Amino acid sequence: MTTFHRLIIDGETYYREVNESTDMYHGELLEQEEVIEILLAEHVSQEIDVDGDKVRRYIESIPTPLYRQVTRDYLDHLERMVESYN
């Protein structure tokens, strides 16, 4: 995993990759947006595109009202979980 140090130079914030075993810097000074892109590329294994309208149509096609409601409740629970992390 890549590790960075935050460096504040003349009041401006930058980041630089550091090898913690040697305590030496690598690469150039980066801005926060660049570091975020690097970390996301390292840690996000896949992108999942959720079509909310399609999900709702599938739920409405469940023939049993009880199962349909359980599925809606579970979806609401998942949405609340996602929102709590934002």
Side-chain angles (χ1 to χ4, degrees), residues 26-39:
H26 299 280
E28 58 193 48
L29 292 175
L30 302 171
E31 294 187 2
Q32 182 173 333
E33 293 79 19
E34 296 169 304
V35 173
I36 290 171
E37 286 180 30
I38 291 168
L39 294 175

Side-chain angles (χ1 to χ4, degrees), residues 55-67:
V55 170
R56 283 185 277 286
R57 283 194 306 273
Y58 286 143
I59 291 172
E60 292 308 314
S61 71
I62 297 172
T64 308
L66 176 62
Y67 293 159

Side-chain angles (χ1 to χ4, degrees), residues 8-81:
I8 301 171
I9 303 170
D10 295 329
E12 297 289 326
T13 301
Y14 299 97
Y15 298 84
R16 193 150 186 209
E17 183 178 348
V18 63
N19 180 329
E20 292 189 326
S21 64
T22 63
D23 207 30
M24 295 188 66
Y25 289 112
H26 299 280
E28 58 193 48
L29 292 175
L30 302 171
E31 294 187 2
Q32 182 173 333
E33 293 79 19
E34 296 169 304
V35 173
I36 290 171
E37 286 180 30
I38 291 168
L39 294 175
L40 285 173
E42 286 182 8
H43 295 283
V44 175
S45 63
Q46 62 180 297
E47 182 175 315
I48 300 170
D49 185 16
V50 177
D51 182 340
D53 291 333
K54 189 182 255 186
V55 170
R56 283 185 277 286
R57 283 194 306 273
Y58 286 143
I59 291 172
E60 292 308 314
S61 71
I62 297 172
T64 308
L66 176 62
Y67 293 159
R68 199 168 40 241
Q69 187 59 46
V70 168
T71 305
R72 280 190 205 113
D73 292 344
Y74 184 62
L75 182 60
D76 290 342
H77 168 71
L78 293 175
E79 287 174 343
R80 284 191 303 276
M81 286 181 61

